[in-house]
Every structure is written in C-alpha cells, then in structure tokens.
Amino acid sequence: MGRYWVLSGLLLSLPLVTGWTTSRCLVTEGSHLPLVSRYFSLCPHSRLSILAACFPVSNLTQTLDAVPRAVEGLCLRGSVSTLLPDAFSAFPGLKSLGLNLQLTRLLPGALRGLGQLRNLSFVENPGGKKNLSLPPDAFSDLISLQSLHICGPCLDKKAGVHLPPSLQWLSITLSCLQDMGELAGMFPDLVQGSSSGVSWTLKMLDLSLNWGLKMASPGSLQGLRVEILNLRGTQLGAVAVKALGLEKLDVLYAQTATAELAAETVAHFELQGLTVERSKIGYISQEALASCRSLEILGLSGTGLTELPPGFLAAMPRLRRLDLSGNRLQITTLCRNETGDASGLTTLNLSGNGLSTLPPATFSCVPHLRELLLPYNQLLSLEGHLFHDLQQLETLNLDKNPLLNLGKSWLAALPALTTLSLLDTQILRSPDPGFWGAKSLHTLSLRLPALDAPAVLSLPMYLTSLELLIASGVKHWTLSPNIFPFLETLTIKGRGLNLGVQNASEVFPALQKLFLLQNSLDAFCSQGTSNVFLWLLPKLQSLKVWGAGSNSRPCLITGLPSLQELKLESLQSTSQPRSVQLEELVGDLPQLQALLLSGTGLKSLSAAAFQHLRSLQVLVLDTEKDLVLLDSLREYSPQMPHYIYILQSELACQCANAWLELWVKQSTKTYIHIRDNHLCPGEVRVPARDSLTPFLWDHCPQTLEPKLFLATSALVLLLIALPLLQEARNTWIPYLQALFRVWLQGLRGKGHEGKRFLFDVFVSHCRQDQGWVIEELLPALEGFLPAGLGLRLCLPERDFEPGKDVVDNVVDSMVSSRTTLCVLSGQALCDPRCRLELHLATSLLLAAPAPPALLLVFLEPISRHQLPGYHRLARLLRRGDYCLWPEEEERKSGFWTWLRSRLG
C-alpha cells in the first residue's frame, strides 16, 4: 500500500507536462530500478524510493525543473563547467547524487540544502584529467554524507577542503595522485592535529587506479584510522604504507614492488586482511610467514607462486579466507604441516592453477572448510575419498574442468554439501540416482554434453535451485525424477533438454523463477493454430525468456496467476523476421507488475493489450523498431501502467502516431519517457528541439476530410449553443453586470476596515423557504437577547428598494452587509435569483482581498456537485462554513450554537 502513496506523490510532483518535456530525465521507483539500471550507473542507488537520471545536461537549471521534487537519487551526465550556489536546494530529500558534468569548479554553497545526502560522486571520463576546484566549505552542509567518490578529476593538492564528520567512505580514483601525502593538503581533517583534535576514522579509503601513485611521504597521514585501504592499480608497494603514520589499518589491498610478502606491514598494523594480487612474489619465506599471525583474509591471486612453504596454514591460526587463484601451485604443499594441526580455514580459492590431479590428503588439514573453488583447472577425475576430511563443506565449484571420470558416489563424503557448480565440464552420464551420492544438495549448476542417443539425467528431488546448460545434439536429455517438489528457481540454457510441457505444474509445483536462455519458446508452446505457453505454473512469479533470435512465431504467455515480472528478449527471428502485437505475446496475467520487451518484433501497441493486465505498473519497450502507438490508448489511459519507458526504440514516422505528443503532455495517470528524439528520413536534427514533431500532422496526408470535419464540428457546436443563449440572457448577463458594478465600486484591492454596514446579515433564500426564514431564522437573529442576537437582517421581500433593478438591489445589499447567509434547498438551486445571489456571493468571497463572510445553511442534504460554480465553493466547503438544519429537536441547539459562533 505504501508504494501507491509514493507513486501518487511522485505523479503529483511531476510538472504538468510530464512526458516528452522530461525526455532527458528518466524517472523510476527503486523497486523498478533493475528494468532500467543501466541509466543509473553513476550513483549508488540502494533502497531509494524515487530516482532520476538526466543526460545530456547542458543547462542544469532547466534540467532540474523537470525532475520531481521528491527524488532521492539523482544521476546527471553532460557538460556543465560550474556548479552555482543552491544548485540542488530544491531537493532537500536527496540521498544519492552522481555528477558526470565535466565540472571544473564548485562555487561556495553549491551543495547547500542537502542535509540528507548520503552518497556523492564526481565522475569524469577516463583520461580527461580535468582539474576540479572545490572551496574549503564545499561539503559543510552535508551533515549526513557517508560516501564521497571522486573518479577522474584532479584536485588541488592544497585545496584544504573540510570533510563532514559523518564521512565513512572516501574514494579518489583515476586521479592525478602521485603521493599519498597529498591527501593531507586536499583534506586536512584526515590528519591528526586538525581543528577537532580527534583521530579521523574511515571505513574505506579507496585510492585504486591512480596509475601515477608511487610515493608515500613518511608521516603524511599521521593519526588517521582506516579499516580498509585499497591501493589496487597503483605503483605504491604495500611496504610503503607502514611509514604513513596511520594509527590503525585492518585490511590492505595493494600491489608490492618487491618479490616478498609485505610481512613488516602486516606485523606493524596487525592486519586482519591482506590482498596483493597480480604482484610477482613468487616465493614466501619462513621469516615473512612468521609475521602474518594476525591475518584472517589473505589474497595471493596471480602472484606467481609455485609452492607454499612448510607450515603455511599453521603459521596463520586466524586465517579464514585464502585466495590462491591464478598461480601454478603444487597443491601437495598446502597441508605439508609437520605438527598436524588443523587450520580454521573456511574459504579456499584454487581456481586457475592448472591442477590435473588432487592427491587423497590434499585437504586433510582444512576440516572446517565450507567453500572450495576449483574452476579453470585441468581436473580429469575425482574420487570420493578425496573429500573425506571436508565434512563441513557447503559449496563446491568445479566449473571449466574436463571431469571425464567421476567415481561412483564421489560426493557421498560431503554430507553438508548444499551448492555444486559443474558448468562447462565434460561429465559423463551417470546411472547412479541421487546425483553421485549427494544427500543435502539444494543448488546445482550443470552443463550437459551433446548426445547421440537419448539419456536420462538423475537429479536429487529436493533441489531448490537448478541451472542447466545443455549443448544441442541429435538426441535430448530427460530429467529424473518426475517431480521436484521444492524447486523454486530453474534456469535452462540451450535446447538439448526434453521436458514434458503438458504436466509442468505437476513436475514443478513450487517453481517461482524460470529463466529460458538461448532457448526457443516453440519447445514450451502448443503447436496448433493458437500458440500458447503450456507451462501453467501456479506459483511462478518471475519469467525471463531470451530467445537469441530463434523464435519462428509468437507464443502467448498466459494462464500464470502469480506472475509479477516478465521479460521477453530477442524473440525476433533473424532468419524470418515478423511483426507482432502485444496481444500475441502477453495474455491474461492478473498479477503482472513489470513487463519488459526487447527485440520481440513488436510493431503496434493498442488498448486491447492491457485489458488483461490489470496490475501492470511498468512497461519497458527496448530496441523495438517502427513502433505505432494506436490512439485507442488515449481512451484507455486511466487503466494504463504507471510508467511507460520507450528506450532505444524507434517510433514509426506515420500519421497514426500524430496524437502521441498531446497525450504525453496531458497524461496525469502515466509517466511516459521516450529516451531520444527520433528523426524521420530526410529530417535534420535540431539540438534545441524537444518535441515529437517528426510524428505530427506534417506526416498525415493533406486531404479535404480534416477541413470538413472542422466545419461540421463548428456547426454542431453552434446548434448546441443556441439553447444556452436564453439561459445566458437570464442568468449570466446579469451576473457579469453585477461583477462589473462591484469592480467600479472599488471592491478589488480595498478592505472593509472602518466601513459602516447598513445590515449585519444578508439572507438569500427562495420563496418556498420563506416560511423557515420567518419562523426559525428571523426570531433567532433579530430577536432581543437572550433569545435572539439583536442583529439587523436584510430580507429581499422586506428590505429591497421598490422599483429598483433586482441585480442592483442584490449587489447593493450584499456590499452593505457584513455577512451573506445563503439558505439552500432543492427549490433554491432551481430559482434563478438564488443562483445569481450564490454566484455573486462566492465571486465576492474570492475576488476581494478582505472578503465578507459567506455562510451556507442547507435545509436538506444536497450533493456538493449540485452546487453551481462548485470549483469556487471548494475552498469554502473545506473550511466548514456550512451546516445542515437538523430535523431532530435535540440537535437544533447545536445548529444555533454554530451559527452564533460564525456570526461572532
């Protein structure tokens, strides 16, 4: 329910011209972000309700005028050299801001008003190396800022910019840093002895990808406390970090220029984590190993290791995660430990080491291992006794290994195994049921080779997630058993699997997510005249089909009562392209909320397609060509999705699209975003143009029919207007005359202070209600205290000047009265004079700067929509200056109490 309130607020905050005028700003809700995520790569966007991405931006003020004020995430890309003061002050709720604007300077106060901002990014194109000038107080108003990311631009080494105390992540990447000591000049708060006198603590200091960074001036960051320091992609060795003067450092990602592990740095800070990937260490000495007792995480990927020193794991008793990928290790050295002590290691990555065999005692010293990664090796065979010591192993990854021979029940020694990946392997068919002895397996990723003869794949029936990559062959694989009662996620890539589509709901009763990749929908659809998707899965919530240009004809996705997200991509046949309508692709899906179509061959979109999509909130049309949006959508607009995105799709240059611009501008129920200006053949792009003119009337045939239509329409309107002239003569003309007299008397712009009134209350009523006025109202108002109020009333029948025009009497009496009291009933609303008096009273109430009071008394219940000029009475009725005359005697005292209080 909360989502609909957010949506309502978003639509209300959009400008009146919502669609094409915001063509350079894409607006979405956080829950729908995965559908358009590629446009929001500039700024972090986790758990935000409303986001906007605008590009290209040349005039920042004009661009931001089209952005909803309630936006929480904003990504801007373009060319704006200077950020002016209060540039984003209209967005006080902004939490994430990403700027790729080729900025050169921020003026003081440019980020003023962003007290809720948490993430701020300045990004420039790689290689630009532009200087960004920041004033010292650039971030003074960002009291909630947690993450600051500067990627690309170069900062002044002596900028002296003050950081907000809330900052926890500081990232300066692809910049001009040459010495880490330059940070003290850029951000003096980082160094001990600043104005606060308290050591600064950062969770992350990211200086990666600064190719020129190769120096660390001793003591330049004295007192700074850092949990994680990232120096990947720099020339600064891990050993140099020791001299910086850091008070605390927990985890270091770095490259080392020496052929030795940065043991001194580890010992100095008692590091918990060290990663020195792609550094040519080659060999680790016993002396270096003795200094690494504090490590819990060690990454040695691509460091040229061929063997590990004796007692490698025993020397690091706290070690939990070890990455040895991309080396050429002799794995027999892993557990070469004279003491025989068991390591507490839980994650081991040995991928890409060229391993062809694993001796039986390979993992004897790591009994607590829970994750073992062995992809990209040359393993040919595996036997069960290899894993006897891994009783707690939960995840095993063997991708990209030949695996030509697997021992019978080779997984039986892994009782805790829940996740197994065998992608891109050459495993043979196994007749052993239960998938080689695995008893607790729940998640399986498997590649099946091509077949020359039919074969049955035996799988655990208790799987919850299954991914199958099947090579196409002469014959197809068949799954066993016949029912997977707990399977929730199924991914099928390829066409070499034979699945019975008729009884899918019985085979997969709990399936919630289905992904069909590089797979023709023809195998899952009926083959009659009606090509319908036959997997009627009652609990399916997400379905993605990527056809890879192989579908020969449309397949209707229908009959899925729980489906909420549907993605259909690359369904257009490359050999036999065809045009389809949305009704041929999507049928009755009552719970569908998000629909993405990309490369399906969609050519037209009409209202009929949405009649069975009652819950649809988001429609994304991506890479579709020559789209025609039929004008039936205009009448169906209130039931349309809340968001429609037309991304990298071309609208057909046809007269059928001529109505589109007006609909886009006037739509209040649906936010329509068309990514780019589209040109018809032969047209010249106008950079300042922001409209749909290529699809307007100049592409419609110039015939006599439009002129005849306009002429007949004018004649019909004239005939309709004739009966209204008499009403205008009796009602509107006197009404306008009265307003003109009020204007001449100077009521506009003048107050009533010091004015003497002839009457206290002017009473407007019809002849049928005169009895109530004389019997009930007159004694209560004109009577003497205490029964009455002693007021002087102006009654038309009694106090109007004889022989004077009715309109003049009404105007003079209202102007001469402090308060106008309208007695309304069904008969009064039909009386021309009462209607005129009500018109004049409400007009005076709204027109004059100090208007007289207006009270309404209803003698019977009347709908507010029956009142003439309802739009002018809306403000009055919301204030409560009206009351209903009660029939019950006991409630009449409350009515008189209200009336006395309103008359003062």
Side-chain angles (χ1 to χ4, degrees):
M1 188 68 181
R3 178 188 301 176
Y4 294 102
W5 284 108
V6 171
L7 176 64
S8 301
L10 170 61
L11 293 178
L12 288 174
S13 62
L14 286 172
L16 291 179
V17 183
T18 59
W20 190 256
T21 57
T22 60
S23 62
R24 295 179 181 177
C25 291
L26 189 152
V27 181
T28 189
E29 293 185 49
S31 58
H32 305 144
L33 186 62
L35 299 172
V36 290
S37 59
R38 69 177 183 267
Y39 297 102
F40 292 88
S41 58
L42 287 178
C43 52
H45 40 64
S46 59
R47 296 185 298 275
L48 298 180
S49 59
I50 305 174
L51 302 98
C54 304
F55 52 88
V57 178
S58 56
N59 188 314
L60 185 60
T61 302
Q62 291 182 1
T63 299
L64 295 181
D65 285 342
V67 176
R69 294 298 178 258
V71 71
E72 293 186 350
L74 181 60
C75 303
L76 303 175
R77 186 170 73 226
S79 56
V80 177
S81 60
T82 303
L83 210 56
L84 301 177
D86 298 307
F88 304 99
S89 58
F91 306 93
L94 202 61
K95 294 180 173 61
S96 181
L97 176 62
L99 303 175
N100 184 354
L101 297 175
Q102 302 179 25
L103 289 170
T104 57
R105 63 170 179 163
L106 268 69
L107 296 182
L111 301 175
R112 188 161 45 218
L114 300 181
Q116 299 186 39
L117 192 68
R118 300 174 186 172
N119 304 295
L120 175 61
S121 300
F122 296 94
V123 181
E124 294 298 337
N125 298 327
K129 293 295 184 288
K130 288 189 175 182
N131 293 323
L132 176 60
S133 175
L134 299 175
D137 61 346
F139 309 128
S140 60
D141 293 310
L142 309 183
I143 58 176
S144 301
L145 190 67
Q146 300 178 1
S147 173
L148 174 61
H149 183 202
I150 301 176
C151 177
C154 301
L155 301 182
D156 183 1
K157 300 176 182 179
K158 299 180 180 180
V161 179
H162 297 289
L163 297 173
S166 57
L167 191 70
Q168 299 179 13
W169 291 271
L170 177 60
S171 175
I172 303 177
T173 60
L174 289 173
S175 186
C176 304
L177 278 178
Q178 297 179 347
D179 187 341
M180 285 190 64
E182 297 172 5
L183 290 176
M186 296 176 184
F187 307 106
D189 294 328
L190 297 178
V191 183
Q192 192 176 34
S194 62
S195 58
S196 63
V198 180
S199 298
W200 198 282
T201 300
L202 290 175
K203 289 186 177 181
M204 165 73 85
L205 177 58
D206 185 1
L207 303 177
S208 61
L209 303 179
N210 285 288
W211 312 114
L213 180 58
K214 54 186 176 181
M215 297 178 59
S217 299
S220 57
L221 297 180
Q222 188 69 38
L224 178 62
R225 301 167 62 89
V226 179
E227 295 185 12
I228 302 174
L229 175 60
N230 187 357
L231 296 175
R232 289 188 177 106
T234 69
Q235 301 182 49
L236 189 65
V239 178
V241 178
K242 175 183 174 182
L244 285 171
L246 296 176
E247 182 177 329
K248 174 188 176 183
L249 181 62
D250 294 335
V251 179
L252 174 63
Y253 299 96
Q255 293 178 333
T256 178
T258 64
E260 182 60 80
L261 191 67
E264 294 183 4
T265 304
V266 176
H268 177 77
F269 293 106
E270 295 186 355
L271 289 180
Q272 300 175 18
L274 174 65
T275 297
V276 287
E277 57 192 21
R278 293 185 296 277
S279 300
K280 299 303 178 182
I281 295 177
Y283 175 75
I284 300 176
S285 66
Q286 291 288 347
E287 293 78 10
L289 199 59
S291 302
C292 298
R293 297 185 60 84
S294 63
L295 287 179
E296 299 179 7
I297 302 173
L298 178 59
L300 299 173
S301 175
T303 53
L305 291 174
T306 57
E307 64 177 6
L308 300 175
F312 177 75
L313 293 179
M316 296 175 284
R318 300 181 183 178
L319 196 64
R320 296 295 178 266
R321 299 177 62 88
L322 176 61
D323 184 0
L324 296 172
S325 61
N327 294 290
R328 287 292 181 266
L329 283 173
Q330 299 176 13
I331 197 59
T332 55
T333 62
L334 179 65
C335 288
R336 190 173 58 184
N337 181 10
E338 292 77 5
T339 62
D341 295 336
S343 170
L345 198 68
T346 59
T347 300
L348 175 60
N349 188 350
L350 292 171
S351 61
N353 273 277
L355 302 173
S356 58
T357 59
L358 296 175
T362 300
F363 306 111
S364 59
C365 61
V366 286
H368 303 290
L369 203 63
R370 295 188 177 182
E371 184 178 16
L372 178 58
L373 308 178
L374 291 168
Y376 295 94
N377 284 295
Q378 300 298 321
L379 297 174
L380 296 175
S381 62
L382 294 174
E383 298 293 337
H385 55 76
L386 173 67
F387 304 116
H388 279 161
D389 299 305
L390 302 180
Q391 298 295 300
Q392 299 182 32
L393 191 69
E394 298 175 352
T395 301
L396 177 59
N397 189 325
L398 293 166
D399 296 345
K400 301 288 184 178
N401 284 282
L403 296 182
L404 297 177
N405 298 292
L406 298 173
K408 185 177 181 180
S409 300
W410 63 284
L411 295 176
L414 299 174
L417 187 68
T418 60
T419 303
L420 175 63
S421 185
L422 294 168
L423 299 177
D424 293 319
T425 62
Q426 299 294 325
I427 61 170
L428 300 178
R429 301 186 297 274
S430 174
D432 180 26
F435 206 75
W436 297 288
K439 300 177 181 178
S440 302
L441 197 62
H442 296 307
T443 301
L444 176 62
S445 299
L446 186 64
R447 181 185 184 275
L448 303 179
L451 292 176
D452 295 328
V456 177
L457 177 64
S458 179
L459 297 175
M461 68 179 301
Y462 296 106
L463 289 175
T464 59
S465 179
L466 175 61
E467 180 180 4
L468 296 175
L469 274 65
I470 312 106
S472 299
V474 179
K475 300 296 181 179
H476 289 179
W477 288 86
T478 303
L479 295 184
S480 176
N482 296 326
I483 297 178
F484 294 87
F486 303 104
L487 192 67
E488 297 179 352
T489 303
L490 175 61
T491 301
I492 302 175
K493 185 176 182 180
R495 308 179 190 176
L497 183 64
N498 184 21
L499 292 171
V501 295
Q502 299 291 349
N503 60 345
S505 59
E506 300 175 3
V507 179
F508 307 112
L511 196 64
Q512 298 180 13
K513 297 181 180 180
L514 176 60
F515 305 95
L516 305 175
L517 310 177
Q518 290 184 346
N519 207 316
S520 175
L521 270 178
D522 296 341
F524 300 87
C525 299
S526 60
Q527 299 302 314
T529 55
S530 60
N531 202 23
V532 180
F533 191 69
L534 294 179
W535 278 39
L536 303 180
L537 302 166
K539 295 185 179 180
L540 191 67
Q541 298 179 10
S542 178
L543 172 60
K544 177 180 178 179
V545 181
W546 180 46
S550 60
N551 279 31
S552 60
R553 58 175 180 158
C555 177
L556 183 65
I557 310 296
T558 187
L560 300 172
S562 302
L563 192 67
Q564 298 179 13
E565 182 180 76
L566 175 60
K567 298 180 180 180
L568 303 177
E569 304 178 32
S570 299
L571 300 186
Q572 175 73 291
S573 174
T574 55
S575 59
Q576 299 177 347
R578 75 281 184 264
S579 302
V580 300
Q581 296 180 348
L582 187 57
E583 302 92 298
E584 300 178 79
L585 298 174
V586 182
D588 189 9
L589 301 172
Q591 297 299 322
L592 190 67
Q593 299 180 11
L595 174 60
L596 184 147
L597 303 177
S598 177
T600 63
L602 184 69
K603 294 300 180 183
S604 63
L605 196 64
S606 65
F610 298 99
Q611 293 179 359
H612 300 293
L613 304 176
R614 296 178 293 274
S615 301
L616 190 63
Q617 298 180 18
V618 184
L619 172 63
V620 180
L621 304 178
D622 202 350
T623 61
E624 303 288 357
K625 296 182 179 180
D626 297 327
L627 276 172
V628 175
L629 277 63
L630 302 178
D631 60 0
S632 61
L633 297 172
R634 180 164 36 189
E635 289 74 18
Y636 198 71
S637 184
Q639 289 77 37
M640 291 287 287
H642 297 149
Y643 296 88
I644 295 180
Y645 301 104
I646 301 178
L647 309 175
Q648 297 183 358
S649 296
E650 298 177 0
L651 297 176
C653 292
Q654 298 180 12
C655 186
N657 280 327
W659 67 277
L660 184 59
E661 183 177 26
L662 183 61
W663 177 58
V664 167
K665 289 182 177 181
Q666 295 181 348
S667 174
T668 58
K669 299 285 186 179
T670 300
Y671 171 77
I672 307 108
H673 178 87
I674 303 177
R675 176 59 259 158
D676 298 309
N677 279 346
H678 302 291
L679 297 178
C680 296
E683 288 191 333
V684 179
R685 179 175 294 277
V686 181
R689 186 178 67 187
D690 207 14
S691 66
L692 286 173
T693 50
F695 314 107
L696 293 183
W697 299 111
D698 52 344
H699 293 277
C700 294
Q702 298 297 322
T703 62
L704 191 59
E705 284 80 359
K707 298 179 180 179
L708 291 176
F709 171 76
L710 294 176
T712 54
S713 299
L715 180 59
V716 170
L717 291 176
L718 179 61
L719 293 176
I720 295 175
L722 287 177
L724 301 177
L725 294 179
Q726 184 64 30
E727 175 69 16
R729 179 186 175 189
N730 295 334
T731 302
W732 287 103
I733 293 177
Y735 169 64
L736 293 176
Q737 289 177 346
L739 283 183
F740 183 68
R741 289 197 59 216
V742 170
W743 178 76
L744 289 178
Q745 292 181 22
L747 286 180
R748 184 177 300 275
K750 296 181 180 180
H752 292 293
E753 294 183 4
K755 180 177 178 179
R756 299 181 60 85
F757 292 96
L758 297 178
F759 303 98
D760 293 304
V761 182
F762 172 77
V763 182
S764 171
H765 62 280
C766 67
R767 182 169 300 176
Q768 291 85 345
D769 299 327
Q770 187 174 0
W772 180 87
V773 172
I774 295 176
E775 297 174 4
E776 299 286 350
L777 187 65
L778 199 61
L781 298 185
E782 281 196 344
F784 296 104
L785 295 173
L789 296 179
L791 302 178
R792 179 169 174 76
L793 272 61
C794 178
L795 301 180
E797 293 79 2
R798 185 187 68 182
D799 300 308
F800 274 10
E801 184 177 341
K804 193 175 183 179
D805 184 73
V806 175
V807 174
D808 294 338
N809 265 320
V810 171
V811 173
D812 292 340
S813 300
M814 284 188 178
V815 172
S816 302
S817 302
R818 296 181 183 274
T819 301
T820 299
L821 176 64
C822 294
V823 180
L824 299 180
S825 63
Q827 297 88 340
L829 293 178
C830 297
D831 185 88
R833 194 194 72 192
C834 287
R835 293 170 62 89
L836 173 63
E837 292 171 352
L838 188 58
H839 274 299
L840 289 173
T842 54
S843 299
L844 292 175
L845 176 69
L846 298 177
L854 173 61
L855 303 178
L856 303 182
V857 173
F858 293 91
L859 297 184
E860 59 186 13
I862 296 176
S863 170
R864 62 173 61 186
H865 298 284
Q866 294 178 276
L867 297 175
Y870 164 69
H871 60 284
R872 292 181 307 225
L873 286 172
R875 170 186 160 201
L876 174 68
L877 297 181
R878 284 197 300 268
R879 290 195 322 204
D881 289 344
Y882 66 96
C883 191
L884 177 66
W885 170 253
E887 295 293 339
E888 302 83 356
E889 289 294 333
E890 60 273 10
R891 297 178 55 192
K892 291 182 179 180
S893 60
F895 171 83
W896 296 119
T897 301
W898 166 80
L899 186 56
R900 290 189 182 95
S901 65
R902 300 307 293 171
L903 293 176

